[in-house]
Amino acid sequence: MRRVLWGALALISAAIVAVLAVGPGLFEKSANKVTHAPWEVSPAATALHRTLTIVDLHEDTLLWQRDMTRFAHRGHVDLPRLEAGNVTLSVFSSVTKVPSGQNYLSNSDKTDIIPWLAIAQLQPIRTWNSLLERSLWHAEKLRRAEAADPGLRIVRTVRDLDAGLEARRSGKLRSLALLSIEGMHNLEGNAANLDVLFRAGFRMGGLAHFFDNELAGSMHGERKGGLTPFGRRVMTAMEDKGMIVDVAHSSHQTVADVLAVARKPVVFSHGGVKGTCNTNRNLTDDEIRGVARTGGVIGIGLWEVASCAQTPAGAAKAMRYVRDLVGIQAVALGSDFDGAVAEPIDVAGLVALTQALLDQGFTPQEVEAAMGGNAIRVMRADLPAA
């Protein structure tokens, strides 16, 4: 009987190990799909794309268990593919809480599926129950990637940004990275934790994600309220420190409240516009005008709910809409790669978006601004000098 019990225990242990080894990868493979074969691209678009300074304002790569310095056969982003896509700078987001049954209409903050992912990916135990520790783990993962690959450099200041851009132009760097937060609920209700996150390297933060929190209402929350007194205090502190305020996922009331008090450029890091895709994920014309008035940018995504098309052409159409409404200076890219969404390309295929912008009548100078120049301008305005 004892042998039978030990044998059964060994089988159960082997099964658990197999699930932990294979399960997270299979889950990610199903979540982060690429839905189209390579798109047709002209020689002119290819040549222009090689000259661009490309900035993607939102990638969720740090959520997943893989070595971002090596090519992966799943997901949308890794350093080899960033290099193939000629991406200069990626904003890597820290996702710390996702409600079960997540949807775009209404979500409670009472459930969270991230602990199960943390356990399955064998993350440090401290991340299993702490939202703050999950973000600190994501920052640590990016620092480890930077240490492992001298071609990657994390940006924390304007000095870092300018030095990194120069190093990349001279061929000494492959890619730059900036840390962001998707929902400031990772403060765990304590404003002092903003200092902890800043010291860890975070330089951008979205106030809310898929549910209302103690700072702000979400587009997808139950109440969809505005900026709370705590949220206003945190936003002021973010601007004082040199952290970019991001209104992606924020409720319409929160967006209005943020725009009313913003002292620096505000970004909408990833999403779309109601003018081309009328979903509650996207900005109204008045909100586009408001973000533009701060000197900020609207990062347009490629997935279906952002563009209603899930094609490079759909994203380019939304970019054209923003350009025609408020000017080219407000247009930016925010892919949401690796965000548990199906995308028409991975990051190596961004030349297809350059082609789509040319097809929409953008000049080469406008393509340069939309694909990264505008985002660089905002970072120079918002980040700490040194």
Side-chain angles (χ1 to χ4, degrees):
M1 179 61 71
R2 185 175 295 177
R3 288 181 182 176
V4 171
L5 289 174
W6 279 112
L9 183 60
L11 286 173
I12 292 170
S13 299
I16 291 172
V17 169
V19 168
L20 293 176
V22 178
L26 291 176
F27 174 68
E28 188 201 348
K29 205 164 190 176
S30 67
N32 294 319
K33 292 181 179 179
V34 178
T35 59
H36 198 281
W39 298 79
E40 187 172 341
V41 175
S42 69
T46 300
L48 173 61
H49 192 79
R50 291 195 190 107
T51 71
L52 301 177
T53 299
I54 298 172
V55 176
D56 187 350
L57 289 172
H58 195 88
E59 297 170 1
D60 287 326
T61 310
L62 295 173
L63 181 62
W64 307 102
Q65 182 191 25
R66 50 187 162 89
D67 181 354
M68 66 180 295
T69 67
R70 298 175 180 273
F71 178 80
H73 292 280
R74 62 180 190 265
H76 303 132
V77 177
D78 50 51
L79 277 176
R81 283 185 284 180
L82 285 168
E83 189 171 25
N86 192 36
V87 176
T88 300
L89 188 152
S90 295
V91 177
F92 289 110
S93 176
S94 172
V95 178
T96 59
K97 185 174 180 179
V98 174
S100 61
Q102 176 181 294
N103 64 86
Y104 284 98
L105 299 178
S106 179
N107 298 272
S108 167
D109 65 350
K110 300 299 188 293
T111 61
D112 183 13
I113 65 172
I114 295 296
W116 301 108
L117 184 64
I119 293 168
Q121 294 188 152
L122 300 179
Q123 291 179 196
I125 292 174
R126 66 180 187 273
T127 70
W128 294 5
N129 293 308
S130 169
L131 306 183
L132 177 66
E133 289 294 344
R134 289 173 198 167
S135 282
L136 296 179
W137 169 241
H138 293 152
E140 184 178 336
K141 285 174 70 175
L142 188 60
R143 288 195 300 271
R144 289 182 180 184
E146 181 185 45
D149 192 321
L152 174 66
R153 185 177 300 172
I154 300 171
V155 169
R156 298 174 180 83
T157 66
V158 174
R159 179 183 295 175
D160 291 343
L161 177 64
D162 289 339
L165 292 174
E166 179 56 36
R168 194 172 185 277
R169 279 191 291 267
S170 64
K172 297 176 182 176
L173 276 181
R174 300 164 70 190
S175 193
L176 302 174
L178 186 139
L179 276 166
S180 182
I181 298 159
E182 192 148 30
M184 301 291 289
H185 40 266
N186 68 343
L187 293 174
E188 299 182 338
N190 184 353
N193 282 333
L194 190 66
D195 292 330
V196 176
L197 293 165
F198 186 84
R199 288 195 297 270
F202 287 94
R203 293 298 182 268
M204 183 186 292
L207 299 173
H209 193 202
F210 267 91
F211 51 89
D212 305 320
N213 62 30
E214 58 268 45
L215 294 91
S218 164
M219 276 185 180
H220 329 289
E222 293 179 318
R223 299 177 303 279
K224 300 178 175 61
L227 194 64
T228 68
F230 178 64
R232 185 169 301 214
R233 226 173 26 151
V234 169
M235 176 184 164
T236 299
M238 289 173 67
E239 290 183 316
D240 289 344
K241 287 178 177 298
M243 293 180 71
I244 301 166
V245 176
D246 179 8
V247 294
H249 290 288
S250 290
S251 69
H252 296 296
Q253 186 58 57
T254 295
V255 173
D257 292 346
V258 167
L259 296 179
V261 299
R263 294 170 292 143
K264 289 185 175 182
V266 169
V267 306
F268 177 78
S269 65
H270 61 299
V273 296
K274 287 184 178 293
T276 64
C277 182
N278 189 20
T279 70
N280 79 323
R281 178 67 180 80
N282 296 340
L283 294 182
T284 67
D285 285 4
D286 283 346
E287 289 167 340
I288 296 168
R289 294 187 185 100
V291 172
R293 277 195 296 270
T294 72
V297 291
I298 292 95
I300 299 297
L302 296 104
W303 78 103
E304 187 173 8
V305 176
S307 69
C308 287
Q310 203 175 354
T311 63
K317 186 178 178 182
M319 288 176 158
R320 187 186 70 183
Y321 186 90
V322 174
R323 181 200 67 179
D324 293 348
L325 184 68
V326 295
I328 188 62
Q329 73 281 353
V331 184
L333 166 66
S335 69
D336 204 21
F337 285 143
D338 286 333
V341 291
E343 299 269 12
I345 55 175
D346 65 6
V347 72
L350 275 173
V351 65
L353 181 56
T354 296
Q355 178 68 66
L357 290 170
L358 293 174
D359 293 342
Q360 288 289 332
F362 279 55
T363 67
Q365 293 75 24
E366 288 175 328
V367 174
E368 165 64 32
M371 291 291 277
N374 294 332
I376 293 292
R377 185 197 74 241
V378 169
M379 289 176 184
R380 285 202 176 105
D382 280 1
L383 294 178

